[in-house]
DNA sequence: TTCATACTTCGATCGTAACCGAAGCATCGC
DNA sequence: GCGATGCTTCGGTTACGATCGAAGTATGAA
């Protein structure tokens, strides 16, 4: 007994519904204010304030003062991965929300996961990159091929720049809605950024979902075909 | 708000200290009875019984009746990976137990993680397998090479048998004490089993730690050398 | 300065869940 | 059959933490 690190503390931090909702919202990658997070959690600002203080003390959140606002973000990508992996686990065990709600389909189609694309489109993109030989899937992991580097160059992504960062280029991230992997890492981020820059898609204000324009949809599906 | 799967439920399940202790103990891979788990959690059997019922309802545990005993185990390897990943996360944020205790060093040297070897020795073994060219590390993932298959055959592990199971052969599992990867998957299990079969090491009764005999220690270090 | 906004701290309430004693089943050994 | 062991269910207590109203602090706008 009493072996190893204390998982009960972080379990308890995530275990409160209001806090879990705030964390899930912050997995969208945006910095949110205390008031916004109170709305997300369905509680008053006073209560939210105490929750946020606890989450920060636990090392899950970081805050940045800006004028009279306080912007909260996840402390780092590790927190995002933990949340997303718990979502994947929860989805697999049938721990779903009570009402599917109208936003669910959009969320399953395409959403943001920290800073990269997730959902049906995220999984499709990785599948297509593997099928075309741009990415090698070896065991659990992913590796960019030379062909892939050329293909990406052609759509305006310079892999050389990305390699210089300390962050891994390719990472697989388990998708909770599809239960299959999508592409994370700096390359995943760069790809999503380029879609947004090109105007193919845009982020929504209150949700994690990503909305593709009709034209963007067409371009995306052309660029990442899947057989069948 | 109210997007995606409900992580609060599993967070809350893990968030209770008694339950967390039980789960951590079960990460040792052994099936434990309700009474044993009550001891681990530091609570009475009545209380433990309600906790175990909740964990089972939540899909984290499975139970098997055997005579008048009830043996509890983690529901599957996904639960073990979740627990271990939370431990890694917790260790990184300094959520450590209060007293390091005398057993900690043994635990850091070698311990069981579900069914494979973890700790310093687990990390060392994977490092050595990669350095010798038996395993390729590509991105996040691991793949056995032809050379590796031959080397393993020589120490009595038939990879062909392992491939027939549905479980992945190589998986990397993040080690909470070393903060680096060790080898999981069916190959990880087979390697640990062979060490135990050969008498190089044995499991302890109450702890997750694995004790190597002097001779086993020598053999292990010879088989998995590291430079430096 | 004065007022408004964003947020935190204080104080008190309230609900839930952890907890254990006692009683109730089930299984084993005799 | 009997008692002993392992575990669950019931009932009642207790404690912790989530919650919010009200007051307090900081920043910005007028």
């Amino acid at each position: 007994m009493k072996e190893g690190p204390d998982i009960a503390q972080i379990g308890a931090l995530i275990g409160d519904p209001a806090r879990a909702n705030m964390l899930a919202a912050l997995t969208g990658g945006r910095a949110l204010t205390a008031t916004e997070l109170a709305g997300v959690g369905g509680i008053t600002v006073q209560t939210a304030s105490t929750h946020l203080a606890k989450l920060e003390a636990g090392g899950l959140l970081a805050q940045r003062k800006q004028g009279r606002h306080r912007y909260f973000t996840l402390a780092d990508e590790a927190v995002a991965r933990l949340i997303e992996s718990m979502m994947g686990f929860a989805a697999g065990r049938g721990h779903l929300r009570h009402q599917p709600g109208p936003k669910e389909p959009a969320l399953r189609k395409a959403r943001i996961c920290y800073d990269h694309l997730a959902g049906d489109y995220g999984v499709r993109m990785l599948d297509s990159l593997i099928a075309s030989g741009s990415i090698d899937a070896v065991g659990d992991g992913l590796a960019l091929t030379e062909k892939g580097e050329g293909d990406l160059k052609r759509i305006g992504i310079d892999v050389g720049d990305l390699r210089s960062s300390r962050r891994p280029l390719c990472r697989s991230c388990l998708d909770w809605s599809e239960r299959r992997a999508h592409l994370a890492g700096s390359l995943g981020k760069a790809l999503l950024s380029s879609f947004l820059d090109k105007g193919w898609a845009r982020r929504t204000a209150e949700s994690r979902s990503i909305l593709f324009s009709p034209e963007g949809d067409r371009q995306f599906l052309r660029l990442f075909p899947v057989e069948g």
Side-chain angles (χ1 to χ4, degrees), chain A residues 9-195:
Chain A
Q9 286 185 34
I10 44 176
L13 282 176
I14 301 175
D16 180 83
R19 284 196 291 259
N21 283 334
M22 298 193 212
L23 288 168
L26 287 170
T27 313
R30 279 187 207 282
L32 297 175
T33 65
T35 311
E36 288 171 325
L37 288 167
V40 166
I43 48 180
T44 62
V45 276
Q46 308 95 292
T47 311
S49 182
T50 64
H51 281 313
L52 292 167
K54 285 180 188 175
L55 288 170
E56 195 188 0
L60 300 190
L61 294 188
Q63 65 163 296
R64 181 162 39 91
K65 270 186 78 168
Q66 207 165 88
R68 49 184 165 181
H69 295 279
R70 286 201 187 184
Y71 286 96
F72 289 86
T73 55
L74 299 186
D76 52 40
E77 194 186 341
V79 181
R81 277 208 305 278
L82 179 67
I83 302 292
E84 188 80 5
S85 79
M86 285 185 75
M87 283 192 177
F89 185 88
R93 313 275 139 162
H95 289 272
L96 297 173
R97 254 31 184 284
H98 312 295
Q99 74 294 27
K103 285 183 296 189
E104 280 281 334
L107 214 58
R108 286 178 182 277
K109 181 185 172 191
R111 68 176 180 279
I112 192 166
C113 169
Y114 195 60
D115 58 8
H116 54 267
L117 185 65
D120 177 33
Y121 271 35
V123 171
R124 179 196 173 104
M125 182 172 78
L126 179 56
D127 282 351
S128 178
L129 286 168
I130 291 174
S132 72
S134 293
I135 287 183
D136 262 353
V138 190
D140 273 355
L142 304 173
L144 188 66
T145 62
E146 283 190 32
K147 173 180 184 307
E149 191 153 352
D151 288 353
L152 288 169
K153 189 91 180 181
R154 224 160 298 133
I155 60 171
I157 293 178
D158 185 354
V159 178
D161 292 351
L162 300 178
R163 281 198 209 283
S164 58
S165 94
R166 214 168 312 155
R167 187 173 172 196
L169 193 64
C170 294
R171 248 189 189 286
S172 72
C173 180
L174 192 63
D175 198 287
W176 60 256
S177 57
E178 301 292 315
R179 298 212 212 158
R180 296 180 48 208
H182 60 245
L183 180 64
S186 60
L187 182 56
K189 174 182 179 173
L191 279 161
L192 176 57
S193 297
S194 83
F195 303 154

